Amino acid sequence: MYCTKCGKANVDGSSFCSGCGQPLSNQTVVTQVPNINNQVNSKNGFGKMQKGIIIGLLLLVIILVTSLNGNKKKDDSQTIMVYLDGSNLESEGSIVSAELDAIDPDKIDLENTHVLLYTGGTSEWHNFISNDENAIYELTEDGFEKVKTYSKKNMGDADTLSTFVNYVYDNYKAGHYSLMLYNHGAAIYGAIFDDFTDDNLSLNEFSEALENSPFNEENKLDAVIFRTCLNGTLEVANTFKDYAEYIIFSEEVTWGSSSTNILGRFFNNLDPSSDGLDLGKKFIDAYKKQMEDIDPFDEKCTTYSIIDLSKIDKVTEELNKFIEGVDIKKNYNEISRLRNTMYQYGSDISYFDTVDLYSLITKLEPYSSKKIDSLEKALDDAIVYNYSNHEKSNGLSVYFPYNGNDDEKKIMLSIYNKIDSLGKYRTFINGFNNTITSAQSYNFDFTKNQASVETSGKEVTIQLTKEQQEKYSSAVYLLFQRDLEHPNYYRIIYSANDAKLSKDGKLSTNIGNNLVREVAKPNETPATFSITYRQNDGNKTRRSAGILYDFEKGLLGTSEAVNLNISYKGDEPVISGGEKISRDQRIDGIAYDISKFTGLAVPAHEYKILDKNGNLLPTSEWEDIPSYDVYLIKLKEMKLERFSLDKAKGEYYVLFNITDTNNESKYSKLIKVGE
């Protein structure tokens, strides 16, 4: 009989244990005599029985610990890698410096959180980073400290990204790894544009970089966060599905400013135990707060979403099934018309050609022989979190060639032809594009259409023929003010795409009370703003070109050419912000804090639009006037007002630019509106 308290064998029949003295009668005792061989010590110091007991106890401890931690596979530590290409966001906007300055090490659990930067790609940094090298920095309690230096490398090269990822993985062990990509984005064209080489990371190069890293289907990143514009596409999600659990990205342009930040708000609220979903929500919350600063009127189309990448294969599968049921030849005009009127992300640069996937399939449903239910469910499962102030943005966009020119579409479609998983959808967009390319012109002549003008000048109408109505897709109208001192020159003071086509074929403008000018001061000519108004799928923007500067230093001092955002405070127009005018190859996403400037220059830009016989010239042949007026305004003293042509002096004309279902645009005649 063995004592369960001390394990001593008691064979003399006593009621008390000879080893510990405890009463044997009150114990549950073990009466089976163990095999003597199991009591013999092994050469390693433990008998077989003892080793079995130890192993059993260890297994029990593991089971208990696992259950107490909710079956977590990863420990509560976090390593976040930020691939930080400064580009002109830093050199021209100081945005990255402002972001990094806002990160407070005292608010971060640095014992369990590693934050690593890989820097490069910009001609000028305004902080501790050097522009003649690439380097890795670690966040410490004293701020960012350099831990590794490289000669200047191309940030748009796959090897540069994989070098960073591999170094961090080898030197900073953690339970959770995530990657943030910080720079410019260009939809399916990729992201991370290096200013020294003009190169960028393509979707194939992203795959190559991660294939040459420790991250794979068995060891995925918790999250990939795109702090870029326009990369929130199905094609990008497909690229990362084998390397990460979640992807966080934006369908639309993402904005940044030196007067506000995302990185500080994000990193200062990190929890080392956060998984990819939690991390994504924290990042999007930080972006929301930044946009409250940048866009107080909530007028910019703003998006960010979190995608469960384990569900992307199902989305792709169901999209291929659904789109195969769409007959392009039979429904071409309808498909072209709906695509033309859809909201296109990053529309300042036409060739990105991305639209919301959920909205697209909803619009295409009447023209497909396949049910939409399975595809909708797949999208609902994959899009686990979506933030947008735009009702038609559901979290995932897709490429649909339409507005890019032929050369641009060739480039983008060559990228698409390498995406095998989207084979049926690729066939669909190639087929649609080929139909447009091979379509014969309708040869409409809108200069002969009957026109009418309302007495007040608020509405100008032209009558379309029956055939023109059938092929009509959309229209933009332009309002010109004629320069009476230079009669051949005209200034555009309003352009809008909200023309209405009635059932009887009347195409009408809506100019009434939508023009904007400075409230007149004694002995001064007030500035009239050239407004561009666009509305698509519920999104509305009013913008006007201008130059922000220091009024005391004048225009030759520090100045920024911007697109001004015109909003309404009640009925009063106000300038709610300014955006950097985008480059040809990418959208910059730089927002300016108007309060930092004291002066505004409003250019009165004019064009020669008629030939010597009074006929309208093609747009490509419109000539700029050699010099033009610039109105200089003190911002603090400025007050704006809305007005209509019935309250304006001068000579005005309206011109319609009408697009048909072959995506060809033609002008109407120049219609005189008022004196």
Side-chain angles (χ1 to χ4, degrees):
M1 188 165 62
Y2 290 81
C3 176
T4 58
K5 298 292 185 182
C6 68
K8 175 74 175 179
N10 292 272
V11 295
D12 59 359
S14 171
S15 299
F16 296 89
C17 175
S18 60
C20 64
Q22 296 296 314
L24 294 173
S25 58
N26 295 332
Q27 298 184 49
T28 302
V29 295
V30 179
T31 57
Q32 182 178 353
V33 179
N35 189 316
I36 295 175
N37 291 331
N38 284 343
Q39 292 178 298
V40 178
N41 289 343
S42 71
K43 292 180 181 179
N44 294 324
F46 293 101
K48 292 180 181 178
M49 181 179 184
Q50 290 169 306
K51 286 198 287 185
I53 293 171
I54 291 170
I55 292 170
L57 289 171
L58 287 173
L59 288 172
L60 179 62
V61 169
I62 291 171
I63 292 169
L64 287 171
V65 170
T66 301
S67 64
L68 288 172
N69 283 280
N71 294 317
K72 284 186 178 179
K73 294 186 293 183
K74 301 178 179 180
D75 63 57
D76 291 346
S77 59
Q78 188 84 240
T79 292
I80 300 180
M81 301 168 280
V82 184
Y83 195 62
L84 188 60
D85 182 347
S87 69
N88 71 313
L89 296 175
E90 175 63 16
S91 61
E92 298 176 18
S94 300
I95 290 175
V96 180
S97 291
E99 296 264 39
L100 297 181
D101 285 346
I103 298 175
D104 185 352
D106 292 337
K107 295 181 179 179
I108 302 172
D109 179 3
L110 294 176
E111 184 176 344
N112 295 299
T113 305
H114 303 298
V115 179
L116 284 302
L117 313 176
Y118 186 98
T119 61
T122 186
S123 59
E124 183 181 6
W125 295 92
H126 300 91
N127 55 16
F128 54 86
I129 301 171
S130 171
N131 69 333
D132 58 5
E133 65 182 21
N134 289 27
I136 296 176
Y137 292 84
E138 178 186 3
L139 183 63
T140 72
E141 60 184 9
D142 297 318
F144 283 101
E145 294 185 0
K146 190 188 299 183
V147 296
K148 185 74 173 175
T149 303
Y150 301 89
S151 60
K152 192 181 295 182
K153 303 288 184 183
N154 176 11
M155 296 289 283
D157 188 277
D159 287 343
T160 309
L161 176 57
S162 58
T163 296
F164 173 46
V165 170
N166 291 335
Y167 177 87
V168 173
Y169 188 80
D170 290 342
N171 292 278
Y172 297 88
K173 298 302 180 184
H176 303 264
Y177 288 89
S178 293
L179 173 65
M180 182 185 295
L181 300 158
Y182 191 113
N183 181 243
H184 295 293
I188 68 168
Y189 198 75
I192 312 299
F193 289 78
D194 184 285
D195 272 4
F196 297 109
T197 63
D198 287 329
D199 190 19
N200 73 288
L201 285 167
S202 67
L203 300 191
N204 281 347
E205 286 175 313
F206 277 121
S207 293
E208 180 185 338
L210 291 175
E211 281 175 5
N212 295 323
S213 82
F215 300 106
N216 50 54
E217 289 186 355
E218 303 302 321
N219 181 40
K220 290 186 176 182
L221 292 158
D222 277 33
V224 173
I225 301 173
F226 275 83
R227 174 62 181 93
T228 64
C229 297
L230 303 169
N231 285 124
T233 77
L234 176 62
E235 299 86 354
V236 172
N238 264 281
T239 300
F240 285 87
K241 64 184 175 63
D242 294 332
Y243 310 108
E245 294 175 356
Y246 295 93
I247 192 166
I248 297 93
F249 50 20
S250 172
E251 295 181 271
E252 182 56 289
V253 173
T254 58
W255 297 99
S257 170
S258 61
S259 61
T260 184
N261 71 89
I262 300 173
L263 295 190
R265 287 166 167 153
F266 172 63
F267 283 111
N268 295 346
N269 289 288
L270 271 184
D271 180 348
S273 65
S274 291
D275 62 9
L277 181 59
D278 293 334
L279 212 62
K281 289 180 179 178
K282 283 184 169 62
F283 181 83
I284 294 173
D285 283 344
Y287 186 68
K288 286 181 188 178
K289 290 174 182 173
Q290 179 194 254
M291 290 309 298
E292 290 172 6
D293 298 333
I294 291 175
D295 185 25
F297 287 83
D298 195 32
E299 291 184 340
K300 295 183 190 297
C301 178
T302 306
T303 68
Y304 248 109
S305 60
I306 305 173
I307 308 299
D308 181 346
L309 290 174
S310 69
K311 307 295 178 62
I312 279 297
D313 280 341
K314 186 64 174 176
V315 173
T316 301
E317 175 189 342
E318 294 299 334
L319 175 60
N320 282 326
K321 288 179 183 177
F322 170 78
I323 211 71
E324 196 174 16
V326 179
D327 187 332
I328 297 172
K329 182 177 287 188
K330 180 181 177 182
N331 303 294
Y332 170 73
N333 283 338
E334 290 78 7
I335 295 171
S336 176
R337 192 176 291 113
L338 71 85
R339 172 60 185 90
N340 185 23
T341 55
M342 285 190 73
Y343 180 76
Q344 180 170 307
Y345 298 106
S347 55
D348 279 357
I349 299 179
S350 62
Y351 70 81
F352 292 134
D353 267 335
T354 56
V355 296
D356 184 77
L357 177 55
Y358 209 112
S359 295
L360 175 64
I361 64 169
T362 303
K363 290 176 181 291
L364 286 175
E365 183 180 17
Y367 312 109
S368 178
S369 61
K370 303 293 179 69
K371 299 280 187 182
I372 201 173
D373 306 46
S374 297
L375 177 51
E376 284 183 321
K377 184 180 186 308
L379 281 168
D380 289 339
D381 290 343
I383 304 168
V384 293
Y385 188 82
N386 182 48
Y387 151 66
S388 180
N389 63 351
H390 182 222
E391 61 182 12
K392 299 297 176 69
S393 294
N394 297 282
L396 199 59
S397 64
V398 71
Y399 177 67
F400 191 145
Y402 193 79
N403 288 312
N405 63 39
D406 289 343
D407 289 338
E408 292 164 348
K409 286 193 277 192
K410 282 180 183 177
I411 293 171
M412 301 300 258
L413 287 169
S414 69
I415 294 171
Y416 226 95
N417 289 335
K418 298 174 184 176
I419 306 177
D420 293 334
S421 59
L422 285 161
K424 298 297 184 184
Y425 183 74
R426 181 179 63 203
T427 299
F428 168 76
I429 59 174
N430 273 302
F432 181 82
N433 183 61
N434 290 338
T435 303
I436 288 183
T437 303
S438 61
Q440 293 183 348
S441 172
Y442 295 126
N443 291 319
F444 292 138
D445 182 1
F446 294 106
T447 63
K448 297 179 180 178
N449 290 61
Q450 182 182 356
S452 60
V453 181
E454 188 186 49
T455 306
S456 66
K458 294 180 181 179
E459 186 177 281
V460 178
T461 300
I462 64 170
Q463 177 69 52
L464 301 189
T465 67
K466 186 175 181 180
E467 185 182 11
Q468 289 170 348
Q469 294 173 50
E470 290 174 353
K471 307 301 183 183
Y472 171 84
S473 185
S474 65
V476 170
Y477 56 91
L478 299 88
L479 175 65
F480 292 91
Q481 181 178 15
R482 187 183 184 193
D483 187 336
L484 298 179
E485 294 182 5
H486 306 88
N488 289 327
Y489 289 95
Y490 296 77
R491 181 189 176 200
I492 301 174
I493 63 171
Y494 192 69
S495 168
N497 69 339
D498 61 345
K500 302 295 184 183
L501 181 64
S502 64
K503 291 182 179 180
D504 57 356
K506 289 184 171 63
L507 186 64
S508 304
T509 67
N510 181 29
I511 301 171
N513 209 34
N514 282 324
L515 311 180
V516 175
R517 66 186 175 191
E518 183 187 14
V519 174
K521 296 177 183 177
N523 303 319
E524 288 186 13
T525 302
T528 298
F529 286 71
S530 297
I531 302 294
T532 300
Y533 174 68
R534 293 292 182 267
Q535 64 173 31
N536 298 86
D537 277 351
N539 186 69
K540 299 178 181 180
T541 59
R542 289 177 180 83
R543 296 198 301 192
S544 179
I547 301 171
L548 295 168
Y549 69 102
D550 185 325
F551 195 87
E552 299 302 323
K553 294 180 180 179
L555 277 175
L556 296 180
T558 301
S559 61
E560 298 289 351
V562 298
N563 280 318
L564 302 168
N565 303 313
I566 310 295
S567 304
Y568 290 130
K569 191 174 182 180
D571 195 52
E572 179 186 345
V574 295
I575 297 175
S576 57
E579 306 162 2
K580 183 175 179 59
I581 297 174
S582 300
R583 304 193 218 182
D584 291 338
Q585 295 295 319
R586 61 183 184 237
I587 291 177
D588 290 314
I590 297 175
Y592 290 98
D593 183 352
I594 300 298
S595 65
K596 290 186 176 182
F597 299 87
T598 57
L600 170 64
V602 179
H605 207 112
E606 297 181 0
Y607 301 92
K608 182 179 180 181
I609 64 174
L610 303 177
D611 64 18
K612 61 182 180 180
N613 297 318
N615 298 315
L616 186 70
L617 292 165
T619 309
S620 59
E621 297 180 21
W622 289 6
E623 297 178 18
D624 290 5
I625 192 170
S627 62
Y628 52 87
D629 291 331
V630 175
Y631 298 92
L632 303 180
I633 304 171
K634 286 185 178 180
L635 278 171
K636 288 186 178 179
E637 298 176 4
M638 182 185 69
K639 188 173 182 180
L640 305 180
E641 65 178 354
R642 301 168 71 174
F643 72 102
S644 297
L645 289 181
D646 55 344
K647 298 178 181 178
K649 294 181 180 179
E651 196 173 301
Y652 297 89
Y653 295 83
V654 163
L655 183 68
F656 286 93
N657 186 19
I658 301 166
T659 301
D660 61 34
T661 54
N662 282 344
N663 202 22
E664 292 185 353
S665 297
K666 293 178 182 172
Y667 285 113
S668 70
K669 61 185 176 183
L670 206 58
I671 306 165
K672 191 173 183 180
V673 180
E675 298 292 342

